Amino acid sequence: MAAIGRTLAVTLFLLGLWEAAVRLLAIPAYILPGPARIAMTGWDNAAILGHNAAITLGEMLLGLVCGSVLGILCALAMASSPLARRAMRPVLLVAQALPVFAIAPLLVIWFGFGLASKIVMASLIIFFPVASAFHDGLARTDQGLVDLARLNGAGTLRTLRFIRVPAALPALASGLRVAAAVAPIGAVVGEWVGASAGLGYLMIYSNARMQTDMVFAALAVLLAVALLLFTLVDRGLTRLLPWAPETAPS
């Protein structure tokens, strides 16, 4: 509670400085609106913001699920087969090195302006941190435990299931936390490139009409949605893995 109080105090202080600067310097609202004007705009357009936020949150959740499942399967395949590891490692590197911003227009052409292109974009961004973190966890399993399992007749799959996967769950949790933090990027980029709804679409629409206060209001709602998603993932992992040092509650 003390940490939350300090965070709120600092946030209110910075917002106060922002409002004072806008008023004292007489900055036009279309360049930089003050927090009070942004809050009023958000209140007046709460229904529109809520509708578009629900669409963006749905895209983020579906992208998080699809990208996480794909990353987990890729990591398991690389851990269970040297051939798969050699084949998939370049895919991981390409997925990280290729900016989704560069291929976003192509994804819109291939998958359309609807939900599919946003899910694909979010999945591409989420895929790498999940696959990379989980694979690292699988590769760093205590070799003594692996050798003990093999001495007792456990094959590759049984060793993976009963030894390596449980040991790698904290690493997977770290990857999922990163994935939850970057999930909004894919959804919003997809909406910027081509969409008819969502917070990203609302930002582009408002920006084209010099409605800067609406752009900031949409940004504030996006921040709240992103924080909500990250908190839900973080709390869920803490409950599912209470024994892991990385997920133990402070």
Side-chain angles (χ1 to χ4, degrees), residues 70-133:
L70 186 61
I72 290 171
L73 293 177
C74 180
L76 289 173
M78 290 192 297
S80 59
S81 169
L83 179 61
R85 181 166 59 251
R86 289 193 296 270
M88 291 183 177
R89 190 177 293 274
V91 176
L92 278 175
L93 295 176
V94 170
Q96 177 64 9
L98 187 63
V100 70
F101 304 94
I103 63 173
L106 290 175
L107 294 177
V108 171
I109 293 174
W110 294 338
F111 296 97
F113 285 85
L115 188 63
S117 59
K118 286 54 172 191
I119 295 175
V120 172
M121 288 183 210
S123 299
L124 286 175
I125 292 177
I126 290 164
F127 165 75
F128 179 80
V130 175
S132 179

Side-chain angles (χ1 to χ4, degrees), residues 41-191:
T41 299
W43 178 262
D44 293 338
N45 297 274
I48 296 174
L49 289 167
H51 171 71
N52 288 277
I55 294 174
T56 301
L57 178 59
E59 295 167 353
M60 291 162 53
L61 289 172
L62 290 173
L64 180 62
V65 171
C66 294
S68 298
V69 170
L70 186 61
I72 290 171
L73 293 177
C74 180
L76 289 173
M78 290 192 297
S80 59
S81 169
L83 179 61
R85 181 166 59 251
R86 289 193 296 270
M88 291 183 177
R89 190 177 293 274
V91 176
L92 278 175
L93 295 176
V94 170
Q96 177 64 9
L98 187 63
V100 70
F101 304 94
I103 63 173
L106 290 175
L107 294 177
V108 171
I109 293 174
W110 294 338
F111 296 97
F113 285 85
L115 188 63
S117 59
K118 286 54 172 191
I119 295 175
V120 172
M121 288 183 210
S123 299
L124 286 175
I125 292 177
I126 290 164
F127 165 75
F128 179 80
V130 175
S132 179
F134 193 30
H135 179 258
D136 286 346
L138 293 169
R140 296 173 186 272
T141 305
D142 188 346
Q143 190 59 40
L145 295 175
V146 175
D147 293 338
L148 181 61
R150 289 175 178 171
L151 286 173
N152 284 275
T156 300
L157 293 180
R158 289 180 65 85
T159 302
L160 183 66
R161 177 183 175 185
F162 294 106
I163 301 297
R164 301 180 68 184
V165 168
L169 288 179
L172 175 60
S174 298
L176 290 173
R177 285 190 174 89
V178 175
V182 300
I185 298 176
V188 171
V189 169
E191 292 172 353

Side-chain angles (χ1 to χ4, degrees), residues 13-27 34-35:
F13 175 73
L14 293 176
L15 290 176
L17 286 180
W18 179 0
E19 184 70 30
V22 168
R23 292 179 181 272
L24 292 175
L25 299 177
I27 300 176

